[in-house]
Amino acid sequence: MQHHTGEHIFSGLVHSRYGYDNVGFHMGQDMVNIDFNGMLTADQVRELEDEANRLVWADVPVESWYPSQEELHKLDYRSKKELTGPVRIVRVPGGDTCACCGTHVSHTGQIGLIKIIGLKKYKGGVRLEMVCGSRALADYEKKQEEVIRISGLLSARQGEVSAAVEKLMGESESQKAQMNQLYQKIFKMRCEQLASCREPLLIFEEQLPPARLRQLCTLLCQEEKGDLVLVCSGEAGQFYYVLGSREEKVDTVVRKLNGLLNGKGSGKGLMAQGMFSSAEDEIRRVWEEGLWKE
């Protein structure tokens, strides 16, 4: 009843202020999804939320009755479809007047609190996620526990968590840039150990993730260390790979290698990546014997 009546108030305010219709809602165990056929900004939603809660705290009565047909024709009420026969009207003074057969609280104060916890674009309009009453309190308690835990991990005050996260993200980006430069130097040294040639090149490296394999393969191709370059890293019969070329498309070669080495992966143009489920010796044998050329 808290959720249903809260949805009435919010939908009624949206309709009266912006003319949008509630075109669908789902009342779940923990929250309500409401779909409107028009766009709302985060600022507009906050204003509507404030207005809805003022109605809650005013503790106005929630009225319901079956008006006569004459009275019904004079009423300005919300309804998703044309109705015939007796129509039950539910009204929250200052908030909503709607045809509804559901259950509601008797006074808005029993809702306790209306809180919008999600807003996203949906089918040309917006979808809101809303919690009311005891569920709003449960949602707050859960998030408060998370804030306390995060503030402890970051050694930051609860009100300064976002600033601490932004600082941490900045430091992380700086470290990533430094690491990228170090890898570039290491890979440059690795390239200098290899002679330039126009033959296929296969090398294995230890503990390199796919992004670094791609970085190394790109450099090897640029430095003309092979007309076709295969770089692998892994262990125990599972090897990430990157296949690259300076001039020729590699899609045909990578398909053959995947078939020969129980691999998965693909690519477009001059580079492809994936994983071989084969031992290092088998990868070397297939490559050195040129079985992928057949």
Side-chain angles (χ1 to χ4, degrees), residues 3-25 34-37 40 44 47-49 51-53 55 76-80 90-100 104 111 114 116 128 130:
H3 265 168
H4 191 187
T5 315
E7 178 271 320
H8 265 280
I9 293 174
F10 202 91
S11 294
L13 292 174
V14 170
H15 183 74
S16 63
R17 181 173 292 192
Y18 298 104
Y20 302 155
D21 293 320
N22 175 335
V23 292
F25 76 97
I34 315 174
D35 300 333
F36 294 104
N37 59 355
L40 292 169
Q44 290 170 334
E47 291 176 2
L48 289 162
E49 182 184 87
E51 188 174 351
N53 279 304
L55 275 173
D76 181 16
Y77 64 95
R78 293 189 305 114
S79 179
K80 288 186 172 64
V90 174
R91 177 164 61 195
V92 179
D96 188 33
T97 303
C98 181
C100 183
H104 311 82
I111 299 171
I114 295 173
I116 303 301
L128 301 181
M130 182 180 74

